Amino acid sequence: MIAPTEFTNPNLDVLYSEKQIRDRIIELGEQITADYAGKELVLVGVLKGSCVFMADLMREIDLNLAIDFMAVSSYKDGSKSTGDVEILKDLTNPIRDKHVIVVEDIVDTGLTLSRLLEILDSRGAASIKLASFLDKPEPRIKKELKIDYTGFVVPNKFVVGYGLDAAGRYRNLPFIAVVKDPSAA
Ligand code: IMP
Ligand code: MG
């Protein structure tokens, strides 16, 4: 019997395989390539969760584009997001007159992202759209938040892998998995 590794952890149930993810990212890349032809595009990744999605997505977009990153921390009231965000790392370059796609790992309540989009909107971008690898619509509080490019819609369960973590762990998994027993994660 081979001892379980991170990739074969019995507490994880694979939801989307590496192959399924790869196929979906190719589709998203083609869509973005068509939508932004002839425009100056900046992909803004929200650290840390978006790093894997960002790296794969940008290589499927056949345009002259720039990338930048932000890190924000959302203030929590217990385990619930309050919607107040603090900018921990800001963009390196201005986005005025640029076409921006904010790249996220997952949209859950949508509180953090709505606030972040307001902040970016005040900086005079030509347009701001949202690409989220995962959409977990059930806990959504900000119902008006529109995700322009979605990888997959997931059930209201805690998922990890492909950049998403549970207390800092599992970001390196090449697939998306549901944590069966979160208390044991
Ligand atoms: P919200 O949309 O403001 O509730 O916050 C979304 C953030 O919470 C995401 O960017 C993730 O960092 C984190 N998050 C929400 N659901 C999950 C999950 O199932 N797994 C891992 N992180 C999650
Ligand atoms: Mg995040």
Side-chain angles (χ1 to χ4, degrees):
M1 170 93 167
I2 302 165
T5 67
E6 285 291 80
F7 290 0
T8 61
N9 187 322
N11 193 25
L12 301 176
D13 237 346
V14 176
L15 194 58
Y16 291 107
S17 69
E18 246 184 295
K19 168 83 171 80
Q20 284 172 303
I21 293 173
R22 178 151 176 70
D23 291 348
R24 184 69 189 118
I25 305 277
I26 290 171
E27 290 174 356
L28 289 177
E30 284 173 353
Q31 214 183 324
I32 292 171
T33 302
D35 292 352
Y36 286 85
K39 292 186 175 155
E40 260 195 88
L41 177 62
V42 183
L43 299 181
V44 171
V46 185
L47 294 172
K48 303 173 186 165
S50 72
C51 69
V52 181
F53 179 41
M54 179 83 157
D56 282 350
L57 181 65
M58 69 177 169
R59 285 178 291 176
E60 300 301 334
I61 301 174
D62 186 6
L63 295 173
N64 179 358
L65 60 76
I67 64 165
D68 211 333
F69 291 96
M70 277 186 99
V72 295
S73 107
S74 40
Y75 290 103
K76 299 219 162 168
D77 180 8
S79 65
K80 284 202 206 82
S81 177
T82 61
D84 287 334
V85 305
E86 182 190 2
I87 296 177
L88 301 175
K89 185 225 170 288
D90 208 334
L91 298 174
T92 312
N93 294 111
I95 52 168
R96 177 161 298 279
D97 300 331
K98 301 277 165 70
H99 292 277
V100 173
I101 300 180
V102 175
V103 179
E104 252 290 17
D105 52 356
I106 185 166
V107 181
D108 183 345
T109 64
L111 287 167
T112 314
L113 208 53
S114 303
R115 184 68 195 112
L116 181 63
L117 291 173
E118 278 171 21
I119 293 169
L120 293 179
D121 202 33
S122 69
R123 297 184 181 182
S127 70
I128 301 181
K129 285 195 180 182
L130 172 59
S132 185
F133 178 60
L134 300 178
D135 175 11
K136 199 197 272 186
E138 222 179 291
R140 189 74 33 82
I141 293 170
K142 290 284 176 183
K143 306 235 184 268
E144 70 279 10
L145 188 70
K146 179 173 169 262
I147 306 175
D148 302 284
Y149 304 99
T150 304
F152 300 101
V153 178
V154 293
N156 192 10
K157 292 189 175 149
F158 201 79
V159 294
V160 293
Y162 201 72
L164 289 104
D165 71 310
R169 188 174 164 191
Y170 300 130
R171 290 195 200 273
N172 58 321
L173 297 178
F175 48 81
I176 284 285
V178 173
V179 178
K180 289 190 224 169
D181 177 5
S183 67

